[in-house]
Amino acid sequence: MIGRGDANQQNSAAVKGLSWVSILRLGLVQASMGAIVVLTNSTLNRVMIVELALAAVIPGLLVGLHYGVQISRPFWGHRSDIGNSRTQWILGGLALLAISGTAAAATTFLFEINFAAGLLAAVLAYALIGVGIGASGTSLLTLIATKTAPERRASAATITWMLMIAGIVVTSIVTGINLEPYSHLRLVTVTALTGVVVLVLSAIAVAGIERKPTMVGETGREKPGSFRESVREVWSDPEARLLTVFIFLSMLAYSTQDLILEPFAGLLFGMSPGETTKLSGTQHGGIFAGMALVGIAGWLFSKRKPGLMKMFIVTGCVGSGMALTGLAVSASFAPAWPLEINIFVLGFMNGAFAVAAIGTMMILAGAGKKANEGMRMGVWGAAQAISFGLGGLAGTIALTLGRWATAQDSTAFAIVFSMEAVLFLMSAAIALRIGGGQVAQPRLPVHREPSAVPAE
């Protein structure tokens, strides 16, 4: 018979949730997804435009397709809620991502032979890429949210996203070396080997994690119902609904400048391609710094300051709006403007609000009356994916219309950046309403016995 002291000790151990080592392990899975996606979104994008001489709109629409398919994220989240293991969805989705990524690379041969056949195969491959990302990514974030103690979730979000970016950087460098001299066969081989390596790494990283104690918001939560019931339950929650709208608007503002920032620097500041690439590096350096600040602050203070993530969200959105306002103003003063500093500040504020928002998603994932964390993460993930898919397209369309209407590059860019700034300020206003003054932390986390079905 277990004594009261022993029971308290076990409950205390359960409250701790995942260790930092376990969180790092799950971050490697996110890095693995980033490693495959960068080959399709960046390397293959360049091959289609340069080596295959296809219109730039084709890879653009294909990338948009894989984001659009991720509207299915709520379905995959629900499947992981009602199943016995999220691990199988993580690894299954990652395996599909690796296979479809390799298939996308192989379409380069088809494009050389027959454009219509290549395009059809590419559409199918990119659609499956979206399915793989949705199934694996949604289940992974849900697993992190349900196994991590509330006070560590902001730091867990930071670690996860920084490792994803690191995975993208490492993959870009390694594959860049191994793709020389370029050939379609070499591209397919490198993509396939990358898929095998990251799948094996992820299987090792996630092994046994699901057997660890689950951190739940409160006792006696009901099991999730049907897909339709779960959607209705999530959407009827004012907090979940507000967060969905916030994610859509803020991520739309976040992604709208992706495809126009380097052209802006080139056209108005006279920067060369190499210089604009370095400018992109400056922005990502700022994103890293912003993420690191939130992660460290969350680790040190979030248990005592439950509203800390909300403060970072609001501050990051307002700061991003101010930085974009600075870019809009700079259009009239170029090239006499500290562009590098402006871009670094934009990246810093972007990184701070983005990782704080992801931490908040993890905190609120277990706040429902039913145990439908996967559905909640799926709804928010779908909102983010739709925003990313629309953002780049919206930015280029708005810029094109602005240039046509004003016949001035400076005015057109200023209009687009101003629109983004307004979106960020609207997002900050919505964020203020989330949590009624602060982001609510779950009540006392308790230990929930893992499923009798093995997690692996």
Side-chain angles (χ1 to χ4, degrees):
M1 183 174 180
I2 300 176
R4 181 176 298 178
D6 294 334
N8 289 339
Q9 186 176 3
Q10 285 185 0
N11 186 59
S12 176
V15 169
K16 291 180 181 178
L18 293 182
S19 66
W20 293 116
V21 172
S22 295
I23 292 171
L24 282 169
R25 286 168 56 189
L26 292 180
L28 289 175
V29 182
Q30 186 77 14
S32 297
M33 281 189 281
I36 299 175
V37 171
V38 71
L39 291 174
T40 57
N41 285 8
S42 181
T43 306
L44 188 53
N45 176 75
R46 176 247 152 81
V47 169
M48 287 183 177
I49 295 173
V50 179
E51 277 72 20
L52 296 175
L54 300 179
V57 69
I58 292 175
L61 289 175
L62 289 172
V63 171
L65 173 64
H66 94 61
Y67 278 122
V69 169
Q70 290 181 56
I71 197 172
S72 63
R73 276 178 177 262
F75 174 78
W76 304 117
H78 180 254
R79 296 303 301 175
S80 72
D81 282 336
I82 63 177
N84 294 313
S85 172
R86 301 192 197 276
T87 302
Q88 64 183 9
W89 292 103
I90 294 172
L91 296 180
L94 191 58
L96 178 60
L97 175 59
I99 293 170
S100 54
T102 304
T107 62
T108 52
F109 290 106
L110 279 177
F111 274 116
E112 293 277 19
I113 300 170
N114 184 286
F115 173 79
L119 183 61
L120 182 61
V123 166
L124 178 60
Y126 273 83
L128 292 177
I129 287 171
V131 172
I133 295 172
S136 185
T138 303
S139 300
L140 175 64
L141 290 180
T142 306
L143 183 63
I144 297 173
T146 56
K147 299 293 182 180
T148 306
E151 65 272 13
R152 288 187 173 182
R153 287 175 190 165
S155 298
T158 299
I159 291 170
T160 300
W161 249 249
M162 291 183 76
L163 281 175
M164 180 184 71
I165 296 173
I168 291 172
V169 171
V170 171
T171 303
S172 298
I173 294 172
V174 174
T175 57
I177 294 172
N178 287 283
L179 279 175
E180 297 295 340
Y182 175 79
S183 70
H184 296 335
L185 179 60
R186 189 178 289 269
L187 174 64
V188 174
T189 303
V190 168
T191 305
L193 288 175
T194 301
V196 171
V197 170
V198 300
L199 187 57
V200 172
L201 177 66
S202 297
I204 296 172
V206 80
I209 295 292
E210 199 159 6
R211 293 175 178 171
K212 296 182 181 295
T214 297
M215 313 298 293
V216 296
E218 42 188 82
T219 59
R221 298 173 76 212
E222 302 175 25
K223 292 182 179 180
S226 66
F227 177 79
R228 182 176 297 180
E229 290 171 345
S230 289
V231 171
R232 188 182 302 117
E233 196 270 334
V234 171
W235 199 247
S236 66
D237 183 346
E239 293 288 304
R241 194 164 56 245
L242 273 176
L243 186 56
T244 304
V245 176
F246 165 78
I247 290 169
F248 177 80
L249 287 179
S250 62
M251 294 302 176
L252 182 63
Y254 179 93
S255 59
T256 297
Q257 50 79 30
D258 277 354
L259 300 181
I260 66 172
L261 196 56
E262 288 197 42
F264 168 73
L267 289 171
L268 272 67
F269 287 80
M271 290 187 171
S272 67
E275 289 173 327
T276 59
T277 300
K278 291 179 182 178
L279 190 65
S280 179
T282 299
Q283 182 185 16
H284 282 89
I287 292 173
F288 256 94
M291 287 183 172
L293 174 65
V294 174
I296 294 172
W299 173 48
L300 294 175
F301 306 114
S302 63
K303 194 170 185 178
R304 289 174 288 169
K305 303 285 185 180
L308 188 63
M309 290 302 103
K310 183 173 182 175
M311 183 202 75
F312 277 121
I313 290 174
V314 174
T315 303
C317 284
V318 173
S320 295
M322 293 177 65
L324 285 163
T325 301
L327 289 180
V329 173
S330 75
S332 300
F333 293 90
W337 186 267
L339 185 61
E340 290 81 2
I341 296 175
N342 199 150
I343 294 299
F344 180 84
V345 171
L346 176 62
F348 183 87
M349 292 298 177
N350 282 176
F353 105 80
V355 79
I358 295 164
T360 301
M361 287 163 56
M362 291 183 178
I363 291 171
L364 294 181
K369 295 179 182 178
K370 295 185 178 181
N372 55 4
E373 296 92 348
M375 171 61 76
R376 286 170 171 260
M377 295 299 290
V379 169
W380 298 328
Q384 178 180 332
I386 294 170
S387 293
F388 279 170
L390 291 175
L393 182 62
T396 54
I397 291 175
L399 178 62
T400 301
L401 291 175
R403 296 175 77 181
W404 173 78
T406 65
Q408 289 186 328
D409 289 341
S410 59
T411 304
F413 279 110
I415 291 172
V416 178
F417 290 140
S418 297
M419 290 170 57
E420 289 183 74
V422 171
L423 284 175
F424 268 122
L425 293 179
M426 291 171 60
S427 301
I430 293 172
L432 285 171
R433 298 172 56 193
I434 297 174
Q438 65 181 29
V439 175
Q441 295 277 8
R443 298 177 189 174
L444 178 64
V446 297
H447 174 70
R448 187 168 70 199
E449 290 298 326
S451 168
V453 179
E456 305 163 52

